[in-house]
Amino acid sequence: MNKEIISSFQKMIDVNTPIIYINDYDFVRVDELIKQVIGKQKVEEWNPATGITDFNNKTTKGNQPLADFLVSKYSIEPIAKLPNSFVVLKEPQDFIDDPTVKTLLALMSQRKLYDPMYECTVIIVSSVLKVPVEIEKYVSFLEINLPDDTEIKRLMDEHIEVNDYDKNKFTDNDREKLMPSLKGMTAFEIDRMLDMAMSSNGSLSADDKEMILRQKKLMVKKSGVLELIDVKERIEDIGGVDILKKYLKRKSAIYAQLHEATKFGVSTPKGVFLVGMPGCGKSLCAKATAAQFGAPLLKMDMGSMMGKYVGESEANLRKALRIAEAAAPCILWVDEIEKAFSGVGGNNDIMTRMFGYFLSWMQEKSSAVYVFATANNADKLPPELKRKGRFDEIFCVNLPNDKERKAIFEVHLRKKNRDTNLVKPDLINATKGFNGADIESVVNEAIEQCFVDNKQDLTTEKLRDVARTTKSISKSCRKQIEDMEKIFKENDFTNASEESKPSQSRY
Ligand code: ATP
């Protein structure tokens, strides 16, 4: 177990923390940690399935409802100063809302804080995070970091040993190739993956990487905090934004050989931030990036993470980021990030804490999770998000210029198997102020009209006529667009398009 975790745990005990909460389902590893820190001291475990046991020798001591068990711990008479005693509550989440249980935990905590003769520390070990508000102030959370390279290597070697596999057949090359696919998982999950790999072909080798990555995708699907997005779009399906496309192609080349690149001294790309007008292709770019990187696209929806228990929202965010790390290499798409963190800095403590956690994760992350954040509104962005060290680059996407509108028309005509030569200068002029979504709708509408009018051939005139009757974004939201262009300039965001002057009239 990592030394840092052991020392944080020890510190929590030293400073007299009444309740230590370990939100983890890898009970074997957590038990090892508890044993390592508390050693041979008196520890009793309560578990809804197995009852009360002596934690150290696992002998059973009967069965009691949680409230009765806690009563017996609360009412210990302080005849003399007792040695430290610990109570481990495993999976108590279904019982913790009981008013007697909540009250007893609060009373035990107060006694621990104010009665020098009372030394009972409660350690809650639970696969879900559920802390009633009544006891929140007595709780410290202990986070168990995921295994690092050394531990993953140890787990792999242990598997080879335990399964009597010829050590010489599992080379350093196999170890090095498997390592990235096993990152981001708990020791329990790694063990399961290695078991599966060994049972499928009786051995362990670099070839098992594909199977492990497939399993990781299933983990994402089951997680409930991230959505696995199906991607059909390619980078060639994006019209315009040539600077951004070139940039993404370069980053994808680094990801394709991340190991060599980092050995060479290249920093692992952290991610990109795209701010832009609605309907200008931000989502399209996120999807095409995943295709370009050849990596799964995971969408993080902040709204669905907000929980009703203390710490639940933060735990969901931690879980989402951990799962993204487990699925690495992957693209983590944080859509409308400005909405997710709009309450930051104000009265919304939960949002502020989540934002802080997200930022430090971005800052410290070394895993192959490429963050693709998108925002419609650059005005409401907390300034910390824009600071260097978080995202590698912030791009702004303006309304498409003449050349880009031509390219977008061509993309959508090609998709509908129509001649791209239909895009003539007068059509480009008629669509000034249109975004990508407007152009796509012109193509769709024109084709639909042609079909209804006796399946006529699509013509430039038809496209132009439809464009003239289309209410483009710049007609409906002119003021917002002008404001946004101003903000782009003030912030000095990198223009995603090749045109050097973002303010050049596009409408
Ligand atoms: P919002 O902020 O409203 O979510 P967005 O910027 O994410 O919008 P998308 O959803 O990516 O925009 O685009 C909307 C539609 O417009 C998509 O169906 C996409 O095909 C089309 N589109 C937008 N921009 C482009 C582009 N540059 N090239 C080709 N198609 C585009």
Side-chain angles (χ1 to χ4, degrees):
M1 183 69 70
N2 186 307
K3 275 189 197 139
E4 271 172 49
I5 305 170
I6 295 177
S7 113
S8 320
F9 194 9
Q10 188 61 59
K11 250 184 233 149
M12 284 180 189
I13 294 170
D14 294 346
V15 299
N16 216 23
T17 309
I19 303 174
I20 299 170
Y21 203 110
I22 306 177
N23 176 205
D24 204 292
Y25 56 84
D26 191 347
F27 298 144
V28 176
R29 204 152 165 258
V30 175
D31 280 2
E32 264 173 36
L33 169 71
I34 297 175
K35 270 188 204 144
Q36 233 169 320
V37 175
I38 309 175
K40 298 234 168 332
Q41 299 186 62
K42 193 166 180 281
V43 189
E44 254 180 9
E45 176 178 325
W46 179 92
N47 183 323
T50 52
I52 303 159
T53 44
D54 182 312
F55 182 83
N56 289 312
N57 60 26
K58 298 286 171 209
T59 50
T60 172
K61 299 176 104 185
N63 231 315
Q64 256 182 338
L66 181 55
D68 295 352
F69 175 68
L70 292 177
V71 168
S72 70
K73 296 292 144 200
Y74 173 62
S75 57
I76 294 171
E77 278 309 316
I79 302 161
K81 193 168 162 44
L82 297 163
N84 271 347
S85 75
F86 294 87
V87 167
V88 175
L89 306 182
K90 230 173 240 169
E91 295 289 66
Q93 59 273 16
D94 291 340
F95 309 88
I96 210 158
D97 270 336
D98 175 348
T100 318
V101 169
K102 286 191 281 195
T103 310
L104 278 161
L105 285 170
L107 287 172
M108 285 167 75
S109 301
Q110 285 172 14
R111 199 165 170 198
K112 164 104 178 145
L113 289 173
Y114 303 117
D115 179 353
M117 307 300 270
Y118 185 80
E119 298 251 11
C120 187
T121 307
V122 176
I123 301 167
I124 296 179
V125 183
S126 173
S127 55
V128 294
L129 200 134
K130 189 171 173 186
V131 183
V133 268
E134 293 87 340
I135 58 165
E136 178 200 348
K137 49 188 166 298
Y138 306 116
V139 177
S140 289
F141 298 95
L142 181 73
E143 203 176 334
I144 300 194
N145 294 352
L146 297 171
D148 54 14
D149 287 9
T150 320
E151 196 172 352
I152 297 177
K153 187 177 165 298
R154 186 187 64 75
L155 289 165
M156 283 195 269
D157 291 343
E158 208 174 85
H159 257 77
I160 296 292
E161 186 99 37
V162 170
N163 289 287
D164 264 343
Y165 185 62
D166 185 354
K167 272 185 200 163
N168 299 323
K169 282 192 189 160
F170 189 62
T171 62
D172 279 346
N173 178 47
D174 288 317
R175 259 186 213 97
E176 206 164 276
K177 288 260 162 64
L178 276 184
M179 180 74 80
S181 62
L182 292 167
K183 277 194 176 175
M185 287 190 281
T186 62
F188 178 75
E189 287 161 344
I190 294 174
D191 269 335
R192 272 189 45 217
M193 289 289 176
L194 294 174
D195 278 344
M196 281 173 83
M198 296 213 74
S199 67
S200 63
N201 52 13
S203 67
L204 200 57
S205 74
D207 295 342
D208 292 312
K209 194 174 139 188
E210 290 308 314
M211 186 283 293
I212 293 171
L213 291 177
R214 273 199 309 277
Q215 288 299 322
K216 279 181 156 187
K217 281 191 195 169
L218 287 177
M219 269 169 60
V220 173
K221 272 194 176 163
K222 283 197 304 187
S223 76
V225 282
L226 291 175
E227 190 188 347
L228 189 62
I229 306 281
D230 214 13
V231 170
K232 290 177 224 72
E233 295 77 358
R234 321 256 120 205
I235 216 126
E236 297 72 35
D237 296 329
I238 311 172
V241 292
D242 288 339
I243 302 272
L244 174 67
K245 286 192 289 193
K246 264 188 216 150
Y247 176 88
L248 292 171
K249 280 184 183 163
R250 206 173 73 225
K251 295 289 170 188
S252 74
I254 296 173
Y255 255 67
Q257 37 182 338
L258 195 56
H259 189 65
E260 286 91 328
T262 46
K263 254 188 175 171
F264 191 80
V266 178
S267 313
T268 307
K270 284 178 186 291
V272 68
F273 194 160
L274 223 61
V275 193
M277 322 276 175
C280 278
K282 297 183 297 298
S283 312
L284 174 64
C285 289
K287 292 175 192 164
T289 301
Q292 181 66 30
F293 278 56
L297 179 64
L298 313 182
K299 192 171 174 188
M300 187 156 88
D301 175 10
M302 287 299 205
S304 71
M305 280 190 206
M306 302 310 283
K308 63 180 173 44
Y309 289 100
V310 176
E312 201 182 352
S313 312
E314 290 105 308
N316 283 341
L317 177 62
R318 276 203 300 273
K319 181 174 171 193
L321 297 180
R322 192 183 75 67
I323 286 169
E325 293 200 326
C330 68
I331 311 293
L332 180 66
W333 176 19
V334 191
D335 196 19
E336 300 194 287
I337 195 168
E338 79 279 32
K339 284 194 186 152
F341 296 126
S342 59
V344 171
N347 290 333
N348 195 332
D349 288 354
I350 297 178
M351 265 304 160
T352 308
R353 281 204 304 267
M354 286 172 79
F355 182 62
Y357 185 82
F358 180 75
L359 284 189
S360 51
W361 176 79
M362 276 297 291
Q363 183 103 30
E364 285 155 24
K365 132 184 122 62
S366 62
S367 56
V369 178
Y370 192 71
V371 179
F372 199 104
T374 53
N376 277 335
N377 193 340
D379 201 16
K380 293 209 178 102
L381 291 177
E384 298 94 316
L385 208 55
K386 296 184 250 169
R387 230 172 263 152
K388 279 269 166 226
R390 270 76 200 241
F391 290 94
D392 303 320
E393 196 73 68
I394 304 183
F395 283 99
C396 61
V397 191
N398 286 288
L399 288 178
N401 59 31
D402 291 358
K403 198 174 141 210
E404 291 180 310
R405 289 198 305 285
K406 180 171 187 290
I408 298 172
F409 262 118
E410 287 170 353
V411 163
H412 290 287
L413 286 170
R414 225 177 283 126
K415 266 195 191 166
K416 299 283 180 182
N417 295 320
R418 296 301 198 280
D419 187 358
T420 52
N421 287 320
L422 291 172
V423 195
K424 300 270 171 23
D426 59 339
L427 178 60
I428 304 295
N429 276 331
T431 51
K432 274 191 186 297
F434 280 46
N435 63 14
D438 294 332
I439 294 172
E440 185 181 15
S441 97
V442 167
V443 171
N444 288 341
E445 174 66 24
I447 291 176
E448 190 183 299
Q449 286 189 16
C450 287
F451 177 78
V452 175
D453 293 343
N454 297 321
K455 301 183 186 148
Q456 284 175 9
D457 283 341
L458 182 66
T459 60
T460 307
E461 291 68 41
K462 181 55 124 188
L463 288 163
R464 201 190 47 217
D465 290 347
V466 172
R468 285 194 176 135
T469 57
T470 300
K471 196 164 184 207
S472 70
I473 183 169
S474 55
K475 281 188 193 141
S476 48
C477 328
R478 179 134 194 168
K479 174 85 178 68
Q480 287 100 306
I481 288 171
E482 283 172 359
D483 289 349
M484 210 178 305
E485 285 194 340
K486 232 194 298 155
I487 295 166
F488 290 171
K489 265 212 215 150
E490 281 165 12
N491 281 280
D492 202 20
F493 295 144
T494 309
N495 195 348
S497 308
E498 225 144 43
E499 196 179 49
S500 56
K501 291 182 190 152
S503 58
Q504 243 177 31
S505 170
R506 292 173 163 82
Y507 45 85

